[in-house]
Amino acid sequence: MVAGVFKVLLSFGRAGNGQVMLDVASQMFGKAPGKLDITALHLTVGSDVNPLHTENFEEVSFRPIIQEAKKLDVPITTRYAVSTDAGQDIVNIVNKEGFDFLLVGAALSLSDIPTDIEATQYKNTVYERYFRHLKAPRSWFYPGTLLKDKTKMFIEQTKCAVGVFVNRGFVKATNILVPVAGADDLFLAEYARNLQKSTHGSVTFLYGTEGAAGSGGVAEALTGYAAGEKKVVLLADAPFTAGLLSQYNFMLISYPTWNAISDHRKEALQSMPSTLILSKKKAE
């Protein structure tokens, strides 16, 4: 990390996603101490891409995010490449170039954007109609596994903190829910603080419902946080339900807690707001 500079690598697939993810990065880190340095990365996957076409791919891919950067007055660096292994290339860039944070998008199947729902339904139809009788793995066609598989790769192999963004109609994080399963999740408070500074929104810490066995000291730490910040609600022992989630427009959650919740709160998660799933930076 360069002194006084916070380097974010924002890796996006479809052009429209880059614009929304830039909004997330700006709200998350725009008011954090130090200079924000954002690199927007788009990789075209495939070894047979005609070099004559790459310039047009690059222009189309970056147009929305460049327009959004001008609107937000956030300087960004754009970066484009053709890749045969996008995941590994992203890991290599992050580690070799000393980024502090990697922001990537989640699978289409977690989105509630109409075009994403249509894309997921189409993939499911293709699988059922043509490939199920071949016993082909559903993961070839259904991107729900991407969140666990790719995120696990990024978290295990990169040296920086990782954020996986689930777009559920994101506009602005003004009403934020932060589930805290235990002391290991308290690092989320700093992200919540940055968001509050940027959006002037409110934050609710939900604790005591998931992983309660490891929650020692959580109440005390959150009480201390609330004493120093405005618009903070501490919600203890409330059930993690669809009704609760529908009251918020953004959620911050740690990767371990997400894994625990997604295994046995699947129905509730259908009503989740836009969400950022976070992992901590590895200790040096």
Side-chain angles (χ1 to χ4, degrees), residues 70-185:
K70 291 178 180 178
K71 175 183 173 183
L72 297 173
D73 194 24
V74 175
I76 64 170
T77 300
T78 59
R79 186 163 173 174
Y80 175 82
V82 177
S83 171
T84 57
D85 189 343
Q88 192 58 57
D89 285 345
I90 291 169
V91 169
N92 292 340
I93 291 169
V94 166
N95 289 341
K96 291 179 180 179
E97 300 182 24
F99 282 91
D100 301 295
F101 192 91
L102 170 62
L103 179 61
V104 296
L108 288 180
S109 58
L110 291 172
S111 172
D112 67 349
I113 306 302
T115 53
D116 292 347
I117 293 173
E118 290 176 7
T120 298
Q121 291 173 341
Y122 174 75
K123 290 176 186 294
N124 287 339
T125 300
V126 169
Y127 176 85
E128 294 292 337
R129 184 175 299 174
Y130 299 109
F131 295 98
R132 187 172 186 175
H133 71 283
L134 299 176
K135 298 183 179 180
R138 179 175 286 272
S139 59
W140 290 2
F141 309 95
Y142 185 67
T145 57
L146 180 64
L147 182 63
K148 288 187 176 180
D149 295 344
K150 278 290 174 66
T151 302
K152 183 178 180 181
M153 175 186 178
F154 291 142
I155 289 173
E156 290 182 351
Q157 297 187 26
T158 60
K159 301 174 183 177
C160 70
V162 177
V164 181
F165 173 63
V166 182
N167 185 13
R168 310 276 288 186
F170 178 80
V171 177
K172 192 174 184 180
T174 55
N175 192 10
I176 308 153
L177 177 66
V178 186
V180 178
D184 286 345
D185 286 351

Side-chain angles (χ1 to χ4, degrees), residues 240-254:
F240 192 88
T241 64
L244 175 70
L245 293 176
S246 64
Q247 298 176 37
Y248 301 90
N249 60 22
F250 199 73
M251 179 166 68
L252 293 174
I253 187 168
S254 74

Side-chain angles (χ1 to χ4, degrees), residues 165-227:
F165 173 63
V166 182
N167 185 13
R168 310 276 288 186
F170 178 80
V171 177
K172 192 174 184 180
T174 55
N175 192 10
I176 308 153
L177 177 66
V178 186
V180 178
D184 286 345
D185 286 351
L186 289 174
F187 78 97
L188 296 171
E190 192 59 35
Y191 289 100
R193 180 178 284 112
N194 288 339
L195 271 177
Q196 282 194 279
K197 287 181 180 179
S198 178
T199 68
H200 306 290
S202 61
V203 60
T204 297
F205 289 96
L206 171 66
Y207 65 101
T209 56
E210 302 288 342
S215 60
V218 168
E220 294 82 355
L222 294 179
T223 299
Y225 177 95

